[in-house]
Amino acid sequence: MQLALVHARYQLLEIIRIPVAVVGSAFFPAAAMIFFVVPFAGDDPVGATFATASMVTFSVMSANIFQYGVGVAEDRDQPWNPYTRTLPAGPAPRFAGRVLAGLALTYLSLIPVVVIGATLTAARITPVAFLLTAATVAVISVPFTLMGLAIGYSLPSKAAIVVAQVVFLPLAFGGGLLSAPGDAPGFIETIAPYLPTRGAAELMWAAVGDYPVEPLSLIMLGVWVVLLATLAGWAYRRDEGRRFS
């Protein structure tokens, strides 16, 4: 555990040295809150609460896909990276440290969204719901972390940036994150349950309010986790083989 914390500290220092990386993770969700949630749903306590939960999901997805997708790909290009894989401690502490750092950055990126929701809208939740929501953030980070790892270990850094950008917005739109629960266009409501973003969003909606989670969305979220874990594991093993062959 101590080695994992050392690696996490190293990862966080690397990120903090480039402040735009931290700002970028929080910018789009915060901007969406200001331009869409505040003027259109800000006065409705229920609508604002669900919309804020959607933007939290949006921020979690953004932070993890870009941090792992682009960050891992860039690390693979560094000459230091192959050396760290030869250390006696093995890859587990380094991987655990990356996950811990990623989770810390994810929670950090949520601060602007939460502050905007609390001060500029009528969104309100109980202390218990707030704690449940904070725990749910860690749960819904899993599929997007795996997606980022699959991208980062599969592609060079320049290609990883493009792929992360390409998958990001379609997942947000297709999962119904940019509309109120049940108010998305018909074709979005049709495809949404089959995307990981919808299952994640429904868990967030259920955490902040009275929302019944659709079984299909949860099943498909589990399917996505398995598929992405398999893809990320394959990409990592392939990259390992290339490094040491």
Side-chain angles (χ1 to χ4, degrees), residues 140-157:
I140 68 172
S141 294
V142 173
F144 306 117
T145 296
L146 293 171
M147 185 178 296
L149 290 172
I151 294 172
Y153 282 119
S154 298
L155 301 169
S157 57

Side-chain angles (χ1 to χ4, degrees), residues 5-91:
L5 292 175
V6 171
H7 280 282
R9 180 175 177 272
Y10 166 76
Q11 292 287 337
L12 288 172
L13 287 175
E14 285 291 304
I15 294 169
I16 292 172
R17 285 171 183 167
I18 309 175
V20 69
V22 180
V23 174
S25 298
F27 174 76
F28 286 111
M33 283 288 294
I34 292 173
F35 290 112
F36 297 104
V37 176
V38 173
F40 296 110
D43 296 330
D44 176 13
V46 175
T49 301
F50 281 132
T52 302
S54 294
M55 290 303 101
V56 167
T57 307
F58 190 91
S59 185
V60 170
M61 178 178 66
S62 171
N64 286 283
I65 289 179
F66 283 97
Q67 181 191 180
Y68 291 104
V70 179
V72 169
E74 289 179 344
D75 284 351
R76 289 169 54 228
D77 291 338
Q78 301 301 318
W80 176 256
N81 187 61
Y83 170 72
T84 61
R85 297 188 179 193
T86 66
L87 297 176

Side-chain angles (χ1 to χ4, degrees), residues 8 36 47 74 85 89 101 104 106 114 117 128 151 156-157 159 179 184 211 216-217 219 221 226 237:
F36 297 104
E74 289 179 344
R85 297 188 179 193
T106 296
V114 174
V128 173
I151 294 172
S157 57
S179 57
Y211 183 86
L216 177 59
S217 298
I219 292 171
L221 182 62
V226 173
R237 289 191 297 272

Side-chain angles (χ1 to χ4, degrees), residues 98-110:
R98 182 181 291 278
V99 171
L100 290 173
L103 198 57
L105 183 62
T106 296
Y107 281 108
L108 185 64
S109 71
L110 297 179

